[in-house]
Amino acid sequence: MSKKYIVLFSLVFTFTLLLSACGGSEETSEQEDKQKEANGFEPYTVEHAMGTTTVEEKPERVVILTNEGTEALLALGKKPVGAVKSWTGDPWYDHISDQMEGVEVLGDETNVNIEKIIELKPDLIIGNKMRQEDVYDKLSAIAPTIFSETLRGEWQNNFMTYAKALNMEDKGQKMIDEYDQRLDSFAEKAGDKLNQKVSVIRFMPDHVRIYHKDSFSGVILEEIGFQRPESQDVNDFMEKATKERIPAMDGDVLFYFTYEPGDGAATNLEEEWLNDPLFQNLEVAKEGDVHKVSDAIWNTAGGYIAANKMVDDLEEYFLDEEQ
């Protein structure tokens, strides 16, 4: 066979292979599209605190890296395969522990366990820029990763970010609407009781905080329409208080909660301050309107479930017929 025919034969053979490959590629692509249609899933893109992320496969194995995010997933009916442990509890808050059986513990919000996340082979990771910005690139290399922006009073915005991450925006919005309607109903029933000034205090192991409006409990109180003492009617997070600031804790009603990690320090500080003559001299203390509530519900959990349970507490106090 002459070189001319050898070259021609080679070209024809190569061209045939290319056509076959293209045809196979198109066929594979068509099969993938048909599979996606059969599964009722279409890829979606989410804008979030770190940019945009496209989720190519239906999220089935979801990892969540904030406490409020854990509540969001549970409320939306999506149990995670892995989650950061609760700030208190062993390892979960009491009010969610029965829903978290079998969920892998992945460190805590400020120190997530990357190795365990890899072992879980997640198809979606949800976290928070304020907590995990420095490991975002590592997480994104494992699976599509979506972050909320910040914490504190932002739980409703974050809830919707998590709902979008799960491609459940409509359900998420419906749940927020139902929650807002609940607050409207509460306000209508409470009437003039909303004029009472509500004080919010937290005892930590090494200091005491007076909570302002840009806090989890502060946002909920403001949304309902409660008044706050003048010193707490501030659009920031909180004030670290010295005993000289105890008079700023006064109000018509005082709710306090204690972050007790287990060594007794916060509980001891709580007892010391509540028994201090300055505190005992507050009008709210004299009237007996000082009430201890759950730190997890009123502050630490910070999510959809806790918000509704905090409203349960407020309804019990303010809407009880005997009050």
Side-chain angles (χ1 to χ4, degrees):
M1 185 180 292
S2 67
K3 289 183 179 180
K4 177 181 177 181
Y5 286 108
I6 292 174
V7 172
L8 181 61
F9 177 79
S10 297
L11 288 172
V12 171
F13 182 72
T14 302
F15 184 66
T16 302
L17 286 177
L18 287 171
L19 285 176
S20 176
C22 290
S25 177
E26 290 175 2
E27 186 176 328
T28 301
S29 179
E30 288 177 2
Q31 289 175 345
E32 289 176 350
D33 289 343
K34 288 180 181 179
Q35 187 64 41
K36 287 175 181 177
E37 289 177 8
N39 293 336
F41 176 79
E42 290 291 335
Y44 57 94
T45 300
V46 179
E47 292 186 12
H48 59 99
M50 302 300 292
T52 59
T53 296
T54 298
V55 181
E56 299 284 355
E57 299 178 6
K58 185 177 180 181
E60 298 290 355
R61 297 181 60 79
V62 182
V63 159
I64 182 70
L65 304 179
T66 67
N67 281 236
E68 51 141 31
T70 298
E71 291 206 351
L73 265 62
L74 294 176
L76 288 161
K78 187 68 177 181
K79 184 177 179 178
V81 295
V84 291
K85 67 186 181 73
S86 301
W87 291 116
T88 56
D90 187 23
W92 316 116
Y93 296 124
D94 290 343
H95 68 279
I96 62 168
S97 61
D98 61 341
Q99 301 178 67
M100 294 292 284
E101 185 177 352
V103 177
E104 187 76 22
V105 179
L106 302 175
D108 61 43
E109 288 188 8
T110 58
N111 186 25
V112 299
N113 191 319
I114 301 292
E115 289 74 19
K116 280 193 175 182
I117 294 174
I118 293 172
E119 290 174 5
L120 286 176
K121 298 179 180 179
D123 45 34
L124 178 64
I125 300 170
I126 304 174
N128 178 271
K129 182 178 179 179
M130 181 177 174
R131 290 287 195 242
Q132 298 116 15
E133 181 177 12
D134 60 338
V135 293
Y136 176 78
D137 290 341
K138 290 181 180 179
L139 295 171
S140 295
I142 301 169
T145 301
I146 295 170
F147 273 11
S148 55
E149 181 73 36
T150 186
L151 296 169
R152 297 173 183 168
E154 299 292 322
W155 77 267
Q156 291 191 51
N157 292 335
N158 291 355
F159 180 83
M160 287 307 301
T161 297
Y162 305 143
K164 291 174 185 176
L166 295 171
N167 203 25
M168 301 174 72
E169 184 174 3
D170 289 345
K171 181 175 182 179
Q173 188 59 59
K174 181 181 178 183
M175 292 172 66
I176 290 296
D177 290 343
E178 291 172 348
Y179 172 79
D180 289 340
Q181 290 167 8
R182 183 182 185 190
L183 298 193
D184 290 342
S185 175
F186 183 108
E188 184 178 351
K189 293 175 182 176
D192 292 342
K193 292 179 181 179
L194 296 182
N195 294 326
Q196 297 184 62
K197 291 181 171 62
V198 179
S199 180
V200 182
I201 309 301
R202 189 188 195 199
F203 295 98
M204 303 284 285
D206 59 352
H207 67 275
V208 179
R209 296 178 174 184
I210 302 175
Y211 273 73
H212 297 165
K213 292 163 67 174
D214 187 21
S215 61
F216 181 71
S217 55
V219 167
I220 293 173
L221 291 170
E222 183 174 26
E223 287 176 334
I224 293 173
F226 280 106
Q227 302 298 305
R228 301 294 301 277
E230 183 177 355
S231 65
Q232 300 175 34
D233 192 24
V234 185
N235 290 314
D236 62 17
F237 180 36
M238 60 87 187
E239 170 193 351
K240 285 187 177 181
T242 61
K243 285 190 175 181
E244 289 72 19
R245 291 290 291 156
I246 286 178
M249 298 178 177
D250 214 349
D252 297 311
V253 183
L254 187 150
F255 294 101
Y256 74 91
F257 35 92
T258 301
Y259 177 70
E260 179 54 77
D263 61 1
T267 301
N268 292 336
L269 195 63
E270 168 198 328
E271 293 175 357
E272 176 189 335
W273 279 57
L274 294 183
N275 290 311
D276 190 278
L278 276 175
F279 190 92
Q280 291 294 314
N281 198 46
L282 295 177
E283 288 299 320
V284 69
K286 293 176 181 178
E287 293 294 326
D289 272 329
V290 176
H291 307 278
K292 184 172 185 176
V293 290
S294 165
D295 183 84
I297 299 300
W298 278 62
N299 186 80
T300 319
Y304 185 90
I305 298 173
N308 277 281
K309 287 187 174 295
M310 177 178 162
V311 177
D312 288 344
D313 289 344
L314 292 170
E315 286 179 342
E316 182 178 348
Y317 179 80
F318 288 101
L319 301 185
D320 190 301
E321 292 181 356
E322 295 180 4
Q323 292 292 331

